Amino acid sequence: MPDSAALDSLPHLPRRNWASIVFVLFVQAMNSFSDNFVKMLLIALSIIIAKDSWVGRHMELWLGAIFSLPYMIFAPLVGYWSDRFSKRKVIVWMQVMQIICFIWLSLALWMQRVPGSLEISLVGFFVLAVQAAVLSPAKMGIMKELAGSRRLGRVSGWLQVTMLAGILGGMWAGGIWYGTEYEKTHDAWRSALYPLIVISILGIVELIAAICIQTTPAHPEVHWRKGMAWEHFESLKIVFRRRSIRLAALGVTYFWFISNALSFILVTLTKELHPDTGHGDGPMELAKVAGILGIGVISGSFFASHVSRNRIELGLIPLGGFGLVAGLLWSGLAPLGSSWMYAGIIFTGAAGGCFMVPLYAFAQDKAEKQEKARIHAGMNLMDCLGTLVAVAIVALMKAANLSASTQFLLLAIPTFFAAIYITRLLPQDLVRFLMLAAVRFLYKVKPVHADRIPETGGVLLLPNHVSYVDALIVGAATAGRRPVRFVMWDALYNLWWLKWLMRLIGTVPISATRAKDAIRAVAAALKEGEIVCLFPEGQITRHGMINELRKGFELMARQGDAQVVPVYLDGLYGSIFSFQGGKFFTKRPKHLRYPVAVHFGEPLAPRAATAEVVRHAMLALSSEAFLKRKSWLHAETHDLVPFANALRLAEIEWHHPGDVFLSLEPEGTIIHRTVKALTQVIPGTKFIDHPTEAHATHIVAFCSRNTLNQLTGQERLSFCFDTSPSPLPANPPLPPTLTPPPSLPATAPSPPQPTVDGSPSTANSSPPTGPLPLRGYLDPSTGILLTTEVPNPPLPKGDKDQQLGQAPHTLGRLLPGLTIASTPEGVTITSLLPDSPLTATIPGAKMDEQGFLMI
């Protein structure tokens, strides 16, 4: 059987492991169901036959104490059994013991009014509790052996959900069944006996399921020590040895204190709502409120299990604590028996589920292999102490004749202080969880190849910079793995209202004026084996393409001896936090849960990760992301080339809402078809092939070298897509003091070239008198648009970093979604179309540091 590390390395668990996990979940759910079913039968029976006695009035407290005693008395012993012997064998034998207990209880009820029958039933219930105490560490410990550490958070959540479902389902079914039977027969003993016989038969089904669990290894190296049976606090010593496990165990103990206190208070609430206990209404009402509480606990546990499916999410714990406070206050202040009171109970249960699941998973994950079962046994001992404290406190409140509503309110007081204490212990996890929750509400983040992030050692993540939320997006994409620290300029880090938060989440501040200090700070974090995320562009793109990569990261990686992982954020340009439309923030969101894919590249050795290599890796990830987009589903398979051109053009900064796209090329040419496809890709735009005065101020014209003379110079913008690498007269770089591209004088054009469709040129190629069009390069063999210029983006107020959309003597910038490789003859560009081997070659070309293709 593979060990935990081997299971973690597998992309999917073996089917045999999954099947065994399902059998374990079924067995423990049915055990919890049966135990609480019997518990409810005995409570209902005692209320009716002994309602005038002290035992009858407080039967829920007696049963709570009796069920806790075996966990305290036998905790070290049962922990040793599960550590020493195969956990699967322990589970099987405990199912046999459960059937024996059911036979005992059935005989006690069959004797009916024989003196001592109720007491004999309580003894049988004690033996059933012993069986549950032995089973508990075995079922918890076997989960890591079947699922491994990486999936433990998820399966632990399922374990808690099914256990709670069994507990609350047993209480609900026991109360409903007993109440229904009693209304029919008015025989208190028979009303409990028939349901118990059915539960005994179901015990045989549980035994069969236990036998089907995969065999797990024994650990003969764990030896019996003299006096172990009497070392009642040995397991507690193991729990308290490490602070992390100790705190988690205390948190779980508090949960069981609250949950047991609530279950006792619900009995009081039932008696207040139905004071006539001589009928079946009381048990059925108790079943109802137990079911309501169960809906909340199960939903909260499912939510916590889902959130913790890849990583144990400790930020849920303080939120669950404050949720418990709110739920108790809500339940206590609502009118008795009202729908608001029931809603408060549901909310309390949901908060409790969120509180408990990550605590259990964390304690199990941090435990050593040979101590896991004994740690769980020690936690059970603490849980029982919490239950006994709950019995004592509720008994005092009942002795003081406090109503159920008052008891809810009193429980909220210690819960509030517990939540405050937990928040002080886990502030970073809480803030991180809230931030990631906000990101996941606004964005649908899909990590791709996140498994490429090394499991150990320093790692430098290098993503492209698209928006103000990029760090949060990367954090969400890596949430199931190691924590990531982000680099931030110290000018932002030192803002008084932001500094405490940045320090809390572990941000690395660097100075823009002290480059050496910045390199040392990041390298130091990498040397400590941490993951650091740095945006090598140093600025957010304002044209939709990758800017020049600053080379400081090369020294950081080498000095920190860290692997470098290129990252590409796809689909984020266009969100309200990007610069699309020439502005940040003031755009209307296109829709909630904006889809974003985060692609991780293969790790690079420190000395191999140069700026050029990292840029090429980013572009390769860009093309991988581009070709996987769902947008391709809307393309016509016979005309993919113009659709691909349109998709790539839509990614960059040049188009405005309400634009009218004018094609000056004949119908059927690749440019004409590309411009038509643009209106399909960019909403709110229109296609024309004849200029009109009505559209003059919104026209964006598209031409080739052969139709340059048809430009009027009055268009808002114009593009010339050429099939020759010989450059057109290019616009010069933007002066630092200007934001729009300046008008340029016309210069002599290059000789006419054939169109991409092979038709001869007949048009006069003299250029227009206005500003020259933006140049783009069409591959003559495939029709794919490879590069284009864009307008120089405006410089935001206070920003000093100029970004160029145009450069002289170039073919423009390489469009997104293309992979480039340098060769001695020039460059080769691939990933042109999905599932296509087509390539394009530009002889004599090379890419400069800013991403322009130079000839």
Side-chain angles (χ1 to χ4, degrees), residues 603-634:
L604 302 171
R607 295 195 174 277
T610 63
E612 180 182 4
V613 170
V614 171
R615 173 181 281 278
H616 281 68
M618 284 183 176
L619 292 174
L621 294 173
S622 162
S623 62
E624 178 187 348
F626 182 79
L627 297 180
K628 287 183 177 180
R629 289 189 181 178
K630 293 182 179 179
S631 306
W632 293 102
L633 300 175
H634 305 296

Side-chain angles (χ1 to χ4, degrees), residues 101-118:
C101 291
F102 288 157
I103 295 174
W104 180 320
L105 289 166
S106 298
L107 289 173
L109 294 178
W110 178 72
M111 290 188 296
Q112 295 190 9
R113 296 173 179 82
V114 173
S117 294
L118 188 58

Side-chain angles (χ1 to χ4, degrees), residues 380-404:
N380 282 340
L381 176 59
M382 294 174 63
D383 298 344
C384 293
L385 291 172
T387 300
L388 293 179
V389 172
V391 168
I393 289 178
V394 174
L396 289 174
M397 290 192 291
K398 291 182 71 173
N401 291 321
L402 298 179
S403 66

Side-chain angles (χ1 to χ4, degrees), residues 11 60 153 162 169 191 239 266 461 498 518 575 607-608 690 696 756 781 795 828:
E60 72 277 12
T162 52
S191 298
V239 170
L266 290 182
L461 299 181
L498 192 61
S575 69
R607 295 195 174 277
H690 297 288
V756 73
S781 62
L795 193 66
T828 299

Side-chain angles (χ1 to χ4, degrees), residues 281-295:
D281 294 341
M284 287 191 283
E285 176 65 27
L286 181 57
K288 174 184 173 182
V289 292
I292 288 172
L293 180 64
I295 291 172

Side-chain angles (χ1 to χ4, degrees), residues 54-247:
W54 195 90
V55 173
R57 290 196 305 272
H58 305 288
M59 178 56 70
E60 72 277 12
L61 301 180
W62 281 107
L63 292 176
I66 288 173
F67 198 79
S68 300
L69 287 176
Y71 289 91
M72 300 181 62
I73 298 172
F74 303 115
L77 186 59
V78 301
Y80 165 76
W81 284 341
S82 289
D83 283 339
R84 169 62 179 82
F85 301 104
S86 167
K87 295 175 179 61
R88 182 253 189 191
K89 287 186 177 180
V90 174
I91 293 173
V92 169
W93 282 110
M94 287 307 99
Q95 296 312 117
V96 174
M97 184 175 178
Q98 184 189 56
I99 295 174
I100 295 172
C101 291
F102 288 157
I103 295 174
W104 180 320
L105 289 166
S106 298
L107 289 173
L109 294 178
W110 178 72
M111 290 188 296
Q112 295 190 9
R113 296 173 179 82
V114 173
S117 294
L118 188 58
E119 288 73 13
I120 294 173
S121 298
L122 292 179
V123 173
F125 187 76
F126 175 79
V127 177
L128 189 64
V130 172
Q131 176 265 346
V134 177
L135 178 67
S136 184
K139 72 185 181 186
M140 288 295 293
I142 200 173
M143 278 306 189
K144 187 168 183 178
E145 295 182 2
L146 295 174
S149 292
R150 185 161 65 90
R151 300 175 181 89
L152 185 61
R154 178 166 47 170
V155 298
S156 179
W158 295 343
L159 197 68
Q160 302 309 318
V161 167
T162 52
M163 180 184 68
L164 290 169
I167 291 173
L168 297 164
M171 293 178 67
W172 177 83
I176 292 293
W177 199 342
Y178 185 90
T180 303
E181 286 291 325
Y182 187 70
E183 288 292 329
K184 292 179 183 178
T185 65
H186 294 285
D187 188 321
W189 295 90
R190 285 177 55 194
S191 298
L193 178 60
Y194 292 160
L196 186 56
I197 293 173
V198 174
I199 289 295
S200 302
I201 296 172
L202 287 178
I204 300 173
V205 178
E206 295 176 48
L207 176 60
I208 295 172
I211 294 172
C212 293
I213 297 171
Q214 182 178 359
T215 301
T216 57
H219 298 284
E221 67 274 14
V222 179
H223 299 290
W224 173 267
R225 290 181 290 104
K226 184 179 180 181
M228 181 175 285
W230 312 108
E231 294 177 355
H232 296 285
F233 296 98
E234 183 66 27
S235 295
L236 281 181
K237 291 179 183 178
I238 297 174
V239 170
F240 276 75
R241 186 181 301 160
R242 293 169 56 188
R243 184 173 184 269
S244 57
I245 296 179
R246 178 175 73 248
L247 293 175

Side-chain angles (χ1 to χ4, degrees), residues 529-718:
E530 298 188 75
I531 299 181
V532 178
C533 181
L534 169 73
F535 296 95
E537 296 168 85
Q539 54 181 323
I540 295 173
T541 180
R542 301 197 295 277
H543 44 57
M545 293 169 280
I546 299 174
N547 286 298
E548 178 181 359
L549 304 186
R550 303 180 183 184
K551 297 183 179 181
F553 74 84
E554 297 177 1
L555 286 174
M556 295 173 184
R558 292 170 191 171
Q559 292 184 12
D561 192 25
Q563 297 187 74
V564 174
V565 176
V567 183
Y568 187 80
L569 306 180
D570 181 62
L572 198 53
Y573 196 76
S575 69
I576 61 174
F577 299 105
S578 70
F579 198 69
Q580 188 188 53
K583 53 189 176 182
F584 294 110
F585 306 117
T586 54
K587 297 184 289 293
R588 179 179 298 177
K590 294 179 180 178
H591 48 78
L592 282 178
R593 302 228 66 204
Y594 197 94
V596 179
V598 183
H599 288 249
F600 296 87
E602 294 288 352
L604 302 171
R607 295 195 174 277
T610 63
E612 180 182 4
V613 170
V614 171
R615 173 181 281 278
H616 281 68
M618 284 183 176
L619 292 174
L621 294 173
S622 162
S623 62
E624 178 187 348
F626 182 79
L627 297 180
K628 287 183 177 180
R629 289 189 181 178
K630 293 182 179 179
S631 306
W632 293 102
L633 300 175
H634 305 296
E636 298 180 7
T637 54
H638 66 279
D639 214 15
L640 280 179
V641 171
F643 188 81
N645 292 342
L647 272 182
R648 291 188 171 101
L649 282 171
E651 283 293 296
I652 57 178
E653 186 62 32
W654 61 270
H655 52 85
H656 295 169
D659 275 345
V660 177
F661 300 146
L662 167 64
S663 172
L664 299 177
E665 293 297 294
E667 186 172 356
T669 61
I670 188 62
I671 294 177
H672 187 278
R673 287 150 55 208
T674 294
V675 177
K676 261 193 169 181
L678 274 173
T679 60
Q680 179 185 353
V681 173
I682 305 175
T685 57
K686 183 179 180 181
F687 170 81
I688 60 174
D689 51 14
H690 297 288
T692 63
E693 194 171 319
H695 297 128
T697 58
H698 301 283
I699 287 178
V700 178
F702 297 83
C703 66
S704 67
R705 184 189 297 266
N706 304 312
T707 52
L708 271 171
N709 65 320
Q710 297 183 34
L711 294 174
T712 65
Q714 304 302 312
E715 298 88 359
R716 185 184 74 76
L717 200 63
S718 59

